[in-house]
Amino acid sequence: MQLSDRVTGAFLVVLGGAAALSGSRLPAVPGQDVGPAAFPMLIGGGLVLCGVLIAFGIGHNFEVTEEAEEDTAPSGGWFRRLAGLRALVPPALLLFYVFAVDLLGFLPTAALIVFTAAMALGARPRLAVPIAILAPALVHLVFYKLLRVPLPAGLLPAPW
Amino acid sequence: MNDMLEAFRLVAAADVVLAILASAIYGLVVGSLPGLSATMATALLVPVTFYLSPIAAVATIITASAMAIFSGDIPGCLLRIPGTPASAAYTDEAYAMTRRGQAEVALGAGLWFSAIGGIVGTLSLVLMAPLLAEMALSFSTYEYFWLAFLGLMCATLVARSSPVKAIASMLLGLLIACIGMENPAGTPRFTFGVTNLLGGIEPIPALVGVFAVSEVMRAMVTPEPPKLPRRKFGSILAGQWALTKKYQWPMWRGNIIGIIIGVLPGAGADMAAWVSYAMSKKFSKEPEKVGTGHPEGLVEAGASNNASLASGWVPALLFGIPGDTITAIAIGVLYMKGLNPGPTLFTERASSMYALYLIFIIANIIMIPLGIVMIRLASLVLRAPRSAVMPAIILLCAVGSYATGANLFSVVMVAAFGVLGFVMERNGYPVAALVLGIIMGSMVEQNFITSLIKSDGDVLPFIERPVSAVLAALTFGALLWPVGAWLLGRVQAGRLRAAAAPR
């Protein structure tokens, strides 16, 4: 997700402007000059300034460019683009957890998450399946039994 | 004296001893795995500390962070991949030593000087904190405002990144901290009608997302690090005493620089290591050897990053201002456990403070035997396939953030901050500045607005008091430093070009 400085700078300008604008509309504290509006306006202004500076490449020469470490996938067209999307697997799995855990219960949801993540990282099923069984059981044992976090039981209640 | 005895009793409690041992092993393992940083280790510990006694909770954080900073040296030395960002400064040097067949010396230096740095840093904490506590009692909102602001500015001075981008990250963090009802008027601000946002952004989901989820995302698109060949190590500590005597001066310089950088709010172990390594390069008596596997830089920077760890607690305990990202997490735990940071902590809860010092010392002493075991087992631990470790981390992120409030919305926040951290890191925006902005946002705003109301909108009282004037000068110094460095670079480049030009 390498974006040019112009793109990120412009984004910051828009964000800062929006923050300052909507901040200025906040209701003031009666009888006071400064209220909840002051801080967002200040920050918004700062963000706009930084965004402009970044877009024009000021301060760029302070950056140390990291060695290129990606590009594992064979180069070429759609495959590479798909490989880049793999980065979105972890947040997607977390959202899956949010929506599924109350329905399915902790153990099945967690097993699915671990299995998918392991496969996405290139594990063989011989490794992914045992991990998907062991890791949720261990986490459940520690958090449910020891720390008493109310993890939902759902379809498959834990045997302990 | 009574307090001291009480402190011994507190630390000798079974749950504290167990917490220290368990978190030591946890810290060593997590720190040694590339991609899992010390900050991430600490962030994932927080949900567990909810359920521990106050002293045990603080002990887990102190021990795990100290161990993780040391064991980050291990993969740096053996694989040329730093285990934590704080080891990155001298990874090349350590790896060069390994290639010359001196892996034991390099690892031993990492261990031995980490422990020394940690102990010296602790002593500085013991000496400095009560002195500064006296001073802190007379601080008003002006001083607190400048101190918090100075911390934010120091966080933007992190090496290897554009200062403009760092400031932008920090401002973004402050903007995120604006969300919620915690503002002078108590009106919902930037909540977009989402009820869950009314309480503001909790720091723990943000930290877990930025430091843990984004690392897992990175792992998805980067190749797996090479496997470590099985190897036998000779004696780890042999020759370390000779190194201590030979490089006594660099060691002390490293300790002192580490302490200073640690005390500066906002700047932590990574920066201490970079600065110390640069110093040792500059002042080395054998400059031609630097970079070819010379232990001097290892000694200096290895001591420095562990020293900064302990002294980073000074601003955290006194003012509630984090010295680095690890103490930023620790402050949250302190509040949660009723050990609210502030100068009165040293008078009213003196026994707890002594206990904290003791834990620091114990952690740095047991680091040596446990570290040796860890080095011997390193080839085994580093053999753990990434595709087995990272899925477990995702699961821990979900459960851990859920455990902090039994609210599934925090899991959504973790995912969102994971994406934000990933995109920011990819584009050269330092995430540490973002995190400090989020954590310190409400403090900066509160002191700023209170000061403005007190002074009736006048700016002058901000710099009238002597301490606040000094702090203000330091803050603007930090702000203008990059400009100065840039101008200096321009002048030097100009001179070089003039010298190179044909006459």
Side-chain angles (χ1 to χ4, degrees):
Chain A
M1 199 70 136
Q2 189 86 41
L3 304 165
S4 79
D5 280 359
R6 273 174 202 280
V7 176
T8 58
F11 174 75
L12 288 175
V13 171
V14 172
L15 183 72
L21 197 71
S22 56
S24 68
R25 296 209 184 126
L26 287 169
V29 189
Q32 291 292 352
D33 295 338
V34 281
F39 205 56
M41 283 167 72
L42 213 63
I43 295 170
L47 272 177
V48 170
L49 186 72
C50 284
V52 170
L53 287 176
I54 290 166
F56 284 105
I58 289 173
H60 189 76
N61 48 353
F62 278 89
E63 283 178 61
V64 179
T65 38
E66 300 283 331
E67 297 159 43
E69 49 180 26
E70 41 203 308
D71 296 346
T72 39
S75 51
W78 61 274
F79 191 81
R80 263 190 68 174
R81 219 167 298 146
L82 213 65
L85 281 181
R86 260 200 322 205
L88 289 176
V89 169
L93 287 175
L94 287 172
L95 291 183
F96 171 72
Y97 180 89
V98 172
F99 290 115
V101 74
D102 280 328
L103 206 69
L104 298 177
F106 175 77
L107 286 177
T109 319
L112 275 173
I113 288 176
V114 172
F115 181 76
T116 318
M119 292 303 281
L121 280 161
R124 289 170 199 291
R126 213 166 48 127
L127 176 71
V129 170
I131 287 178
I133 293 168
L134 274 179
L138 264 176
V139 169
H140 190 272
L141 201 62
V142 170
F143 277 83
Y144 189 79
K145 274 309 237 197
L146 253 64
L147 304 177
R148 306 191 181 277
V149 176
L151 298 171
L155 298 178
L156 185 68
W160 43 79
Chain B
M1 202 58 226
N2 248 347
D3 286 334
M4 200 70 206
L5 285 177
E6 173 70 9
F8 272 107
R9 198 187 61 77
L10 283 173
V11 176
D15 62 330
V16 178
V17 174
L18 204 68
I20 292 180
L21 274 179
S23 56
I25 295 166
Y26 167 79
L28 283 169
V29 171
V30 175
S32 74
L33 291 169
L36 311 189
S37 67
T39 312
M40 172 176 167
T42 329
L44 287 178
L45 258 183
V46 174
V48 180
T49 62
F50 265 55
Y51 304 90
L52 299 176
S53 72
I55 298 296
V58 177
T60 52
I61 290 195
I62 292 175
T63 320
S65 59
M67 298 292 168
I69 293 283
F70 150 67
S71 78
D73 296 356
I74 299 175
C77 182
L78 299 175
L79 294 170
R80 200 165 162 253
I81 303 165
T84 60
S87 306
Y90 46 87
T91 292
D92 284 342
E93 188 88 63
Y95 187 66
M97 287 183 74
T98 304
R99 284 228 307 244
R100 284 173 43 176
Q102 294 177 325
E104 289 88 355
V105 181
L107 286 168
L111 179 59
W112 178 247
F113 293 100
S114 286
I116 291 185
I119 289 174
V120 175
T122 309
L123 292 181
S124 80
L125 169 68
V126 174
L127 288 176
M128 238 185 304
L131 287 178
L132 283 171
E134 296 260 308
M135 216 166 95
L137 278 173
S138 65
F139 275 20
S140 69
T141 51
Y142 300 114
E143 280 86 2
Y144 273 103
F145 165 70
W146 284 117
L147 209 57
F149 194 23
L150 174 65
L152 290 174
M153 287 322 299
C154 285
T156 65
L157 284 182
V158 197
R160 298 154 66 77
S161 169
S162 149
V164 185
K165 284 188 173 177
I167 292 174
S169 310
M170 176 200 90
L171 290 172
L172 194 61
L174 290 178
L175 189 62
I176 290 170
C178 284
I179 296 174
M181 284 177 58
E182 287 273 323
N183 57 57
T187 50
R189 195 164 62 176
F190 302 136
T191 52
F192 309 105
V194 181
T195 324
N196 277 312
L197 284 176
L198 282 178
I201 301 283
E202 295 286 331
I204 295 303
L207 280 161
V208 170
V210 165
F211 288 113
V213 176
S214 74
E215 263 326 316
V216 181
M217 291 173 73
R218 251 170 83 91
M220 289 279 170
V221 288
T222 49
E224 185 147 7
K227 284 280 160 281
L228 191 65
R230 232 170 246 278
R231 62 186 294 166
K232 280 255 174 253
F233 289 111
S235 173
I236 304 286
L237 287 181
Q240 293 307 325
W241 185 241
L243 276 182
T244 313
K245 277 197 283 190
K246 188 169 174 204
Y247 296 117
Q248 205 181 23
W249 178 226
M251 179 188 88
W252 284 112
R253 202 168 48 206
N255 280 330
I256 288 165
I257 287 180
I259 289 167
I260 294 172
I261 289 181
V263 170
L264 277 181
D270 331 3
M271 192 163 154
W274 283 108
V275 172
S276 282
Y277 186 69
M279 288 284 263
S280 91
K281 230 178 182 167
K282 199 155 195 169
F283 292 108
S284 175
K285 290 204 181 89
E286 304 148 300
E288 71 283 354
K289 284 194 197 163
V290 173
T292 61
H294 188 51
E296 193 175 340
L298 247 62
V299 170
E300 190 160 343
S304 176
N305 60 14
N306 276 71
S308 77
L309 213 53
S311 67
W313 282 70
V314 172
L317 289 171
L318 281 173
F319 312 112
I321 290 177
D324 54 19
T325 44
I326 293 172
T327 42
I329 303 168
I331 288 174
V333 174
L334 287 173
Y335 272 116
M336 207 164 64
K337 293 294 172 193
L339 294 165
N340 291 13
T344 48
L345 200 56
F346 293 83
T347 48
E348 283 165 19
R349 305 292 295 266
S351 56
S352 301
M353 284 303 101
Y354 287 130
L356 199 145
Y357 301 152
L358 276 178
I359 293 163
F360 258 112
I361 304 268
I362 292 171
N364 281 294
I365 289 173
I366 62 170
M367 180 193 282
I368 292 179
L370 289 177
I372 291 175
V373 175
M374 180 66 208
I375 292 172
R376 299 224 179 273
L377 294 178
S379 45
L380 210 70
V381 172
L382 290 178
R383 203 163 270 270
R386 199 175 60 169
S387 50
V389 175
M390 290 299 177
I393 299 280
I394 300 188
L395 196 57
L396 283 177
C397 292
V399 180
S401 56
Y402 174 73
T404 56
N407 183 355
L408 279 174
F409 184 72
S410 46
V411 184
V412 179
M413 281 288 106
V414 168
F417 275 100
V419 176
L420 180 68
F422 179 76
V423 172
M424 283 177 63
E425 199 145 28
R426 272 287 144 112
N427 293 295
Y429 291 84
V431 288
L434 169 87
V435 165
L436 287 172
I438 295 175
I439 287 171
M440 290 163 70
S442 60
M443 183 178 187
V444 175
E445 176 174 17
Q446 209 170 28
N447 285 307
F448 178 60
I449 300 293
T450 315
S451 304
L452 266 182
I453 290 176
K454 267 190 347 197
S455 71
D456 236 352
D458 196 0
V459 216
L460 204 62
F462 277 85
I463 45 172
E464 262 179 354
R465 296 160 62 100
V467 178
S468 61
V470 171
L471 289 171
L474 280 174
T475 309
F476 282 103
L479 183 62
L480 294 177
W481 174 261
V483 181
W486 181 71
L487 281 177
L488 204 73
R490 280 290 287 257
V491 170
Q492 269 175 355
R495 252 190 233 146
L496 278 179
R497 226 175 294 134
R503 295 175 190 222

